Amino acid sequence: MASESVLKINGLTKHYGNLKALDSLDMNVEQGTIYGLLGPNGSGKTTTLSIVMGILRQSSGKYYWFGREPDYRSRLKIGSLIEQPVFYPYLTLNDNLRLLARIRDVGDHDINHVLGTSNLLKRKYSRYKDLSSGLKQRLAIGATLLGDPQVLVLDEPTKSLDPEGFSDLREIIRKESDRGKTIVLASHILDEVEKVCTHVGILKSGSLVMEGRVKDILSGKEVVYVSVEDGDKAIRALSNCQLVEKYEEEQSGNFRILLKDNHTPADLNQYLFEKGVAVSRLVRQKNTLESEFLQLMK
């Protein structure tokens, strides 16, 4: 049975004058998933999240939260962090969160939990302006949990965080996911996304170039780097090789080869030997989200 769609995007387009920031974007986030939205700077990640959170208006296209067009009630089910968090500098963390609770129409009972989760409970009565940039980001992440929303939308949440903050954020995401929440996480830090996300969508110039389960994208595939004496002969052999999903000659005689599921570098080496291709170097590497991403961005 298919999972229920929490966020569905159909043909979303956004123009800034002559610049097309989003180009007929289609995307689907299912309930209970941790969806990583990836892309280089300028790919449309923040624009996408800003539109679905009602901060920007799209030029065309539609999006749906919980199977219906967005309204005030649906947004109360979402905790979000988009771009720079905004808090009152001279108010304490406690008072800032109390104001936010009023805006979201929730009680104050979550404040200690939010501060504890973001490891800021000891700074409860510190003024916001006295926090370091990393602690301000921790507060912003924690504030998305206020009112126990069903969905978290986080745009570049690792910004300004130290390694301990990275680790704490991963733990927050995993715990909230274990409680059944849906999380949409935009980032350009591929290793972090690979560690926590169940699904991924990769943007390039405002269009979705890949979407799917992380484990399916990486499942059973190995990347092999091969150096040969005769590049032309290798190309002829690889073009008809049933072991290879795709290949690329990065430099003369040097190839990056993605093997199909359940095939090994030893199989490839044997095949090239039988085709008379002399291999001088063969290095295997686990396929990663980063390697897939870099290939798509070329």
Side-chain angles (χ1 to χ4, degrees):
M1 180 181 291
S3 299
E4 181 182 347
S5 177
V6 167
L7 173 61
K8 182 79 171 178
I9 294 175
N10 292 331
L12 207 62
T13 299
K14 176 64 177 178
H15 297 275
Y16 293 104
N18 294 326
L19 173 66
K20 186 178 283 188
L22 293 180
D23 188 5
S24 299
L25 176 65
D26 293 328
M27 202 175 94
N28 184 52
V29 179
E30 295 178 350
Q31 183 176 355
T33 60
I34 307 173
Y35 189 106
L37 188 60
L38 296 178
N41 292 334
S43 61
K45 302 187 301 297
T46 297
T47 298
T48 300
L49 297 186
S50 296
I51 289 173
V52 301
M53 289 310 303
I55 299 169
L56 293 177
R57 182 179 293 275
Q58 69 270 36
S59 301
S60 61
K62 289 185 174 292
Y63 62 94
Y64 305 89
W65 281 109
F66 312 103
R68 63 184 66 184
E69 292 195 10
D71 56 21
Y72 175 71
R73 289 172 298 174
S74 65
R75 291 202 174 95
L76 288 177
K77 300 177 183 178
I78 307 166
S80 67
L81 169 59
I82 308 294
E83 293 194 307
Q84 189 68 26
V86 178
F87 293 100
Y88 289 99
Y90 289 96
L91 293 184
T92 66
L93 309 194
N94 182 67
D95 288 341
N96 267 295
L97 291 176
R98 286 181 65 194
L99 281 174
L100 187 57
R102 300 292 183 276
I103 294 170
R104 295 188 184 173
D105 196 24
V106 298
D108 295 345
H109 54 276
D110 271 353
I111 290 177
N112 281 353
H113 169 70
V114 164
L115 291 172
T117 299
S118 50
N119 203 19
L120 289 170
L121 193 55
K122 292 181 179 178
R123 304 294 297 268
K124 181 176 181 177
Y125 297 109
S126 296
R127 290 187 296 182
Y128 178 75
K129 76 178 189 68
D130 295 329
L131 299 184
S132 67
S133 57
L135 294 183
K136 288 176 179 177
Q137 187 70 1
R138 280 177 177 268
L139 180 65
I141 293 166
T144 65
L145 305 175
L146 203 60
D148 198 23
Q150 296 178 27
V151 180
L152 301 179
V153 176
L154 307 172
D155 181 26
E156 300 287 359
T158 56
K159 186 170 22 179
S160 303
L161 293 181
D162 57 16
E164 183 183 2
F166 272 54
S167 178
D168 289 346
L169 175 60
R170 285 197 299 268
E171 189 64 20
I172 290 171
I173 290 172
R174 289 188 181 115
K175 284 183 177 179
E176 296 303 312
S177 176
D178 288 344
R179 296 180 61 218
K181 293 188 180 181
T182 304
I183 299 163
V184 183
L185 168 67
S187 181
H188 64 275
I189 303 179
L190 306 177
D191 182 55
E192 288 301 311
V193 170
E194 187 173 335
K195 286 176 181 176
V196 299
C197 290
T198 60
H199 293 67
V200 67
I202 299 178
L203 290 180
K204 180 180 180 180
S205 301
S207 297
L208 192 70
V209 294
M210 178 181 284
E211 184 179 52
R213 295 174 65 90
V214 172
K215 70 177 184 180
D216 291 341
I217 292 171
L218 304 181
S219 173
K221 297 174 183 175
E222 287 193 273
V223 176
V224 183
Y225 291 90
V226 174
S227 298
V228 301
E229 295 179 4
D230 188 334
D232 291 337
K233 183 183 285 189
I235 289 173
R236 290 194 294 271
L238 291 170
S239 296
N240 299 303
C241 182
Q242 298 303 309
L243 310 174
V244 172
E245 181 165 315
K246 59 184 178 181
Y247 72 90
E248 177 187 15
E249 188 174 19
E250 297 186 319
Q251 296 177 8
S252 179
N254 294 291
F255 293 84
R256 178 188 184 274
I257 302 169
L258 181 65
L259 297 178
K260 291 182 179 178
D261 291 354
N262 304 318
H263 291 295
T264 68
D267 297 332
L268 176 66
N269 194 37
Q270 178 67 28
Y271 171 82
L272 292 174
F273 175 77
E274 292 172 354
K275 294 296 183 180
V277 178
V279 175
S280 59
R281 181 182 73 108
L282 188 152
V283 178
R284 66 190 299 178
Q285 176 180 305
K286 178 181 176 292
N287 194 29
T288 65
L289 204 53
E290 182 175 14
S291 62
E292 285 287 330
F293 177 85
L294 292 175
Q295 288 301 307
L296 289 168
M297 290 303 110
K298 289 184 177 180

